[in-house]
Amino acid sequence: MINFKFIKESLDLIDTARHYGVHIAGNSMINCLFHDDKNPSMKLYHDHYYCFGCGEHGDVIAFTAKLFGLSQYEAAQKLQSDFGISFESKPSIRQAIKQLSQQ
């Protein structure tokens, strides 16, 4: 069973994007991955993203779905698997993910 809300609350989008190899500038701006972007126009926040160029927006699950060409359900499964998220996970999972992304 997938608990979308729990996954969203457990993951930090910036750390997740970094974990998946997305280069993030110091101001959390990136070249949009979803349109031909020559200058950074997508802003990553801890709980969502927004592209000022194409208007694409969403949460960590939507970002992962778009990044890997998955459905929302498949993206949630991927996040759950990649980050070891279970219903027994503690709120400190964000700290563990930060440590993983810094490796």
Side-chain angles (χ1 to χ4, degrees):
M1 180 175 184
I2 301 291
N3 184 329
F4 287 84
K5 183 179 178 194
F6 186 74
I7 292 169
K8 291 177 198 180
E9 291 173 353
S10 298
L11 294 172
D12 181 292
L13 176 59
I14 296 170
D15 292 334
T16 301
R18 193 173 283 125
H19 177 78
Y20 287 137
V22 176
H23 175 71
I24 303 169
N27 59 359
S28 299
M29 295 290 290
I30 65 171
N31 286 14
C32 183
L33 305 171
F34 313 122
H35 76 273
D36 186 24
D37 197 8
K38 292 179 178 37
N39 297 305
S41 64
M42 181 179 280
K43 175 76 171 174
L44 299 182
Y45 300 91
H46 296 287
D47 63 345
H48 70 284
Y49 65 93
Y50 181 78
C51 178
F52 296 96
C54 69
E56 185 69 42
H57 64 281
D59 56 34
V60 68
I61 296 172
F63 184 86
T64 304
K66 291 287 246 179
L67 185 62
F68 293 102
L70 304 171
S71 70
Q72 295 271 322
Y73 186 80
E74 292 167 327
Q77 287 179 315
K78 178 172 182 50
L79 289 166
Q80 197 171 22
S81 173
D82 290 353
F83 293 100
I85 298 171
S86 69
F87 291 116
E88 293 78 38
S89 295
K90 305 287 187 243
S92 63
I93 193 166
R94 284 184 186 233
Q95 291 292 38
I97 291 168
K98 254 187 188 175
Q99 291 172 351
L100 268 176
S101 67
Q102 293 172 354
Q103 294 177 355

